[in-house]
């Protein structure tokens, strides 16, 4: 599991350093055998040992609720424009650290990839045949604005 540092900022300007990850990938031959659970649980233990109190991810809730993630709305964690994306999930590694205060998720700078530079970098490697794999789609992602209005 590869994490990156992100942060939460409240309306008073207080910043909380947090972690984010995604997606978790397991070779098909090893899926549904508990390896993902083992990797995640060990990574949570290590993150807590390093002093991190919160993990925020974007993913299918069906895949992460069983690992202790809950809706961002439950913890009052939103994105900058006050939206609570259904795919944004929060896990407290230290119970009660998110005390109901409104927190705004600020994504890591690591996600700001310059597409032109990435394409130039990729030219160093032999071309690959692109393919796609089926994706299980069991949930429709929606967002809940702070007004309570649902959006698709």
């Amino acid at each position: 599991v590869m994490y990156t540092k992100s942060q939460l900022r409240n309306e008073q300007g207080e910043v909380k350093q947090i972690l984010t990850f995604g997606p978790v990938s397991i070779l098909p031959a090893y899926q549904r055998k508990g390896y993902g659970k083992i990797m995640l649980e060990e990574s949570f233990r290590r993150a807590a040992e390093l002093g991190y109190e919160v993990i925020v991810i974007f993913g299918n809730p069906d895949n992460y609720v069983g690992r202790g993630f809950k809706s961002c709305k439950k913890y009052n964690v939103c994105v900058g424009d006050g939206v609570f994306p259904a795919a944004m999930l929060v896990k407290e590694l230290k119970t009660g650290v998110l005390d109901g205060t409104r927190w705004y998720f600020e994504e890591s700078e690591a996600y700001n990839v310059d597409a032109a530079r990435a394409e130039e970098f990729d030219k160093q490697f032999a071309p690959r045949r692109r393919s796609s794999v089926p994706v299980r789609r069991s949930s429709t992602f929606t967002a809940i604005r702070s007004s309570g209005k649902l959006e698709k």
Side-chain angles (χ1 to χ4, degrees), residues 20-71:
T20 190
F21 69 82
V24 174
S25 299
I26 306 290
L27 286 171
Y30 298 97
Q31 291 176 3
R32 305 280 178 230
K33 296 183 179 185
Y35 294 115
K37 174 184 174 184
I38 292 167
M39 289 188 332
L40 286 173
E41 294 298 333
E42 177 63 13
S43 75
F44 300 157
R45 186 188 65 74
R46 290 184 184 196
E49 277 181 2
L50 291 170
Y52 290 97
E53 300 172 329
V54 178
I55 299 171
V56 174
I57 64 169
F58 287 83
N60 183 331
D62 294 341
N63 296 332
Y64 296 101
V65 169
R67 302 282 57 83
F69 284 90
K70 296 180 179 158
S71 165

Side-chain angles (χ1 to χ4, degrees), residues 43-146:
S43 75
F44 300 157
R45 186 188 65 74
R46 290 184 184 196
E49 277 181 2
L50 291 170
Y52 290 97
E53 300 172 329
V54 178
I55 299 171
V56 174
I57 64 169
F58 287 83
N60 183 331
D62 294 341
N63 296 332
Y64 296 101
V65 169
R67 302 282 57 83
F69 284 90
K70 296 180 179 158
S71 165
C72 60
K73 180 81 171 168
K74 177 183 180 359
Y75 291 109
N76 207 14
V77 175
C78 61
V79 291
D81 55 358
V83 172
F84 297 90
M88 189 164 81
L89 305 169
V90 178
K91 178 176 178 67
E92 284 186 325
L93 298 174
K94 182 178 180 183
T95 303
V97 72
L98 297 175
D99 58 1
T101 301
R102 170 70 60 97
W103 293 96
Y104 294 89
F105 175 71
E106 296 178 355
E107 191 169 61
S108 169
E109 289 295 317
Y111 290 106
N112 296 331
V113 176
D114 180 310
R117 288 184 64 199
E119 190 173 320
E120 192 62 34
F121 176 81
D122 286 348
K123 288 178 182 176
Q124 302 176 72
F125 306 100
R128 291 183 4 183
R129 183 176 63 90
R130 295 193 182 258
S131 64
S132 62
V133 295
V135 176
R136 182 180 73 167
R137 302 219 185 262
S138 61
S139 298
T140 301
F141 292 138
T142 56
I144 303 169
R145 288 210 173 269
S146 51

Side-chain angles (χ1 to χ4, degrees), residues 2-20:
M2 187 165 91
Y3 284 89
T4 187
K5 296 177 185 176
S6 294
Q7 62 187 24
L8 298 176
R9 182 180 309 272
N10 68 16
E11 293 170 329
Q12 292 72 41
E14 179 186 349
V15 173
K16 185 176 292 299
Q17 298 300 317
I18 65 164
L19 293 175
T20 190

